[in-house]
Amino acid sequence: MAETKTVHSPLVTYASMLSLLSLCPPFVILLWYTMVHADGSVCQTWDYLKQHGLQGFINIWPRPTAIAWKIIACYAAFEAALQLLLPGKRVEGPVSPEGNRPVYKANGVAAYVVTLVTYLSLWWLGIFDPSIVYDHLGEIFSALIFGSFIFCVFLYIKGHLAPSSTDSGSCGNIIIDFYWGMELYPRIGKNFDIKVFTNCRFGMMSWAVLAVTYCIKQYEQNGKVADSMLVNTILMLVYVTKFFWWEAGYWNTMDIAHDRAGFYICWGCLVWVPSVYTSPGMYLVNHPVNLGLQLALSILAAGILSIYINYDCDRQRQEFRRTNGKCLVWGKAPSKIVASYKTTSGETKTSLLLTSGWWGLSRHFHYVPEILAAFFWTVPALFNHFLPYFYVIFLTILLFDRAKRDDDRCRSKYGKYWKLYCEKVRYRIVPGIY
Ligand code: NDP
């Protein structure tokens, strides 16, 4: 059984774990409250809390209602059914630290198309009005907060009692096990991969569904959709479409191949993605800014370019790995480092590290266009309020931390070869600066 390792010092790890566990749930509620009921103004919410104290905060926390549970249950059951039943190519994931190779069914694009077509058809045919989701958003987030916490407890117990593979184990500390997770690839039965469900089919899919919901809500409220909302919705949908187009590639990334299924990743995908990631759109519902055609198109073009570059970085790395370096990178043979490492079972394996193309500019250049894309789908809100920009700021901190975690992990995995890579490609994220 593999042991869980933490990359930060124990003190930082505990402090960040405990503060995230206790602060994230109330933050989600305050964010929703401010966006929907306090005009997006942090000052207004602050004044309210100053006046009414803790009891005031308890009063604004919506109770999870039956309709909220029903919406979540129908959505989750629909997504789980699509994940299990839609056809898809058999795809092998990367070799795990224990030497296992998980197998997936790549049906993400089909699930994405079926979900959006079904949702829009239900609206069009008058069977279900997406505005209901917006009107019960607080209750839905509240239900998600409690439901996902219970789900993470289930993951913890499953990790102890019935792990799905040898890529699992306890570090002996209950809080770290709960927070970072115990299993790398938990499954129900042989085929239902829990992380594909939480991260992709529930979390990322909810992003697209809520983006459409916000747009429809503004239309039903005002009889039209402002160009700022259109730019925001289109960019978020392009981003999520890119995600599902590349979903099998996502199964090779840190989230799936390295981070275990615990509170950090699963609660994040089940609650944080639907609430925080979609928050610029949530704000725009009640703030229909008119940008004018030229500005709207310029922001749209800049956002699409950023999403394309981010996609191309991921594509370049994966194409390079898939072809074993026998591909062209920016029209030339790639430069590379052949790095060997040992798996936890003691086997020696090799990986190729790409040192040209996007991956020669900096070691995590792909985070630059990721942050820019988020900025471009937020900037239609202009600068009256700070809160719509929370996601961009959060993402920047997350990705800078992630780059450090990834560097540390790769350094301990590849040793001298990683050092060589760092000498060749000196900057971590922003070429010439950091
Ligand atoms: P990746 O997993 O794609 O890349 C990191 C891994 O790639 C490393 O762990 C290493 O794995 C391998 N690697 C590192 N350097 C090289 C190299 N030079 N050549 C070949 N392989 C290399 O990173 P992320 O998971 O962080 O990002 C994937 C995508 O997800 C990005 O588009 C990112 O922007 C996006 N993302 C979005 C987030 C959001 O919240 N919106 C959060 C995080 C990511 P190995 O062990 O195989 O060598």
Side-chain angles (χ1 to χ4, degrees):
M1 291 256 174
E3 294 237 313
T4 309
K5 283 189 192 127
T6 56
V7 292
H8 297 298
S9 72
L11 188 69
V12 174
T13 306
Y14 276 116
S16 71
M17 275 187 330
L18 292 176
S19 51
L20 284 186
L21 278 165
S22 55
L23 297 179
C24 286
F27 180 81
V28 166
I29 297 300
L30 284 175
L31 178 74
W32 158 79
Y33 174 81
T34 311
M35 293 299 197
V36 175
H37 295 295
D39 195 32
S41 160
V42 177
C43 296
Q44 208 171 307
T45 299
W46 177 248
D47 286 343
Y48 170 83
L49 290 176
K50 241 178 28 193
Q51 227 177 334
H52 298 92
L54 183 63
Q55 190 53 45
F57 174 61
I58 294 170
N59 291 345
I60 60 172
W61 191 309
R63 307 293 171 263
T65 50
I67 185 159
W69 286 118
K70 256 191 242 167
I71 290 172
I72 296 170
C74 289
Y75 169 67
F78 186 67
E79 291 309 324
L82 294 184
Q83 183 177 333
L84 268 176
L85 302 177
L86 285 176
K89 238 174 60 192
R90 180 185 183 278
V91 172
E92 290 189 346
V95 179
S96 73
E98 287 285 303
N100 300 316
R101 206 182 247 284
V103 174
Y104 300 99
K105 185 157 70 165
N107 57 8
V109 173
Y112 178 63
V113 172
V114 171
T115 300
L116 287 188
V117 169
T118 307
Y119 196 53
L120 289 170
S121 305
L122 290 176
W123 175 54
W124 200 251
L125 298 171
I127 299 169
F128 180 79
D129 183 357
S131 283
I132 295 174
V133 175
Y134 179 83
D135 297 339
H136 294 272
L137 208 53
E139 296 145 51
I140 293 174
F141 289 156
S142 180
L144 279 178
I145 286 170
F146 294 115
S148 306
F149 197 85
I150 293 165
F151 182 76
C152 292
V153 173
F154 155 78
L155 285 177
Y156 173 81
I157 296 170
K158 181 183 174 313
H160 266 296
L161 299 183
S164 301
S165 79
T166 48
D167 283 290
S168 147
S170 164
C171 70
N173 179 310
I174 178 169
I175 299 174
I176 295 182
D177 282 349
F178 178 77
Y179 185 83
W180 285 118
M182 305 208 22
E183 289 191 76
L184 190 56
Y185 297 110
R187 294 203 162 182
I188 297 175
K190 196 164 164 271
N191 294 323
F192 190 77
D193 189 281
I194 293 180
K195 267 164 74 182
V196 169
F197 178 74
T198 54
N199 298 24
C200 308
R201 307 308 173 80
F202 193 102
M204 292 302 290
M205 198 72 82
S206 73
W207 192 347
V209 170
L210 285 174
V212 170
T213 302
Y214 299 147
C215 205
I216 292 175
K217 177 67 191 178
Q218 195 186 68
Y219 175 73
E220 294 199 339
Q221 206 164 260
N222 304 344
K224 60 179 185 209
V225 180
D227 54 10
S228 52
M229 180 59 109
L230 274 181
V231 171
N232 170 269
T233 312
I234 293 172
L235 284 180
M236 294 217 270
L237 286 180
V238 170
Y239 181 86
V240 182
T241 307
K242 175 219 81 162
F243 175 85
F244 281 106
W245 181 257
W246 162 85
E247 191 192 38
Y250 174 69
W251 298 333
N252 292 286
T253 68
M254 280 174 74
D255 282 3
I256 298 289
H258 307 300
D259 287 341
R260 291 169 178 217
F263 181 87
Y264 176 77
I265 196 91
C266 291
W267 197 90
C269 291
L270 295 173
V271 186
W272 201 247
V273 171
S275 56
V276 173
Y277 284 40
T278 70
S279 59
M282 204 192 302
Y283 171 86
L284 284 169
V285 172
N286 293 326
H287 299 86
V289 182
N290 275 316
L291 301 169
L293 191 63
Q294 205 179 352
L295 183 58
L297 286 180
S298 311
I299 297 174
L300 189 66
I304 290 177
L305 182 66
S306 303
I307 296 171
Y308 171 74
I309 294 176
N310 172 257
Y311 164 80
D312 200 49
C313 295
D314 290 331
R315 187 202 57 78
Q316 204 170 65
R317 176 176 88 80
Q318 275 155 19
E319 182 69 2
F320 166 78
R321 280 270 172 101
R322 192 183 59 76
T323 58
N324 221 357
K326 293 183 184 65
C327 60
L328 291 181
V329 170
W330 288 356
K332 285 193 229 140
S335 80
K336 59 179 183 276
I337 292 170
V338 182
S340 67
Y341 66 98
K342 274 205 164 65
T343 65
T344 43
S345 57
E347 240 181 301
T348 301
K349 302 223 175 216
T350 51
S351 286
L352 295 185
L353 297 174
L354 176 61
T355 59
S356 60
W358 300 114
W359 294 80
L361 296 182
S362 68
R363 300 195 294 279
H364 301 273
F365 181 77
H366 55 330
Y367 293 160
V368 175
E370 174 87 34
I371 293 166
L372 284 177
F375 174 76
F376 287 123
W377 68 59
T378 307
V379 81
L382 301 181
F383 300 101
N384 291 337
H385 290 291
F386 153 79
L387 205 54
Y389 292 87
F390 174 78
Y391 172 65
V392 188
I393 294 164
F394 157 78
L395 183 71
T396 307
I397 297 169
L398 175 90
L399 293 181
F400 274 67
D401 175 66
R402 193 179 172 92
K404 181 185 167 354
R405 285 204 297 132
D406 193 45
D407 265 13
D408 291 348
R409 196 191 62 79
C410 289
R411 189 173 307 111
S412 71
K413 178 174 175 181
Y414 296 121
K416 63 179 182 198
Y417 301 104
W418 191 257
K419 205 168 156 241
L420 197 65
Y421 179 38
C422 293
E423 278 160 17
K424 231 171 156 184
V425 181
R426 286 186 33 229
Y427 293 98
R428 191 178 267 167
I429 299 179
V430 189
I433 297 177
Y434 174 77

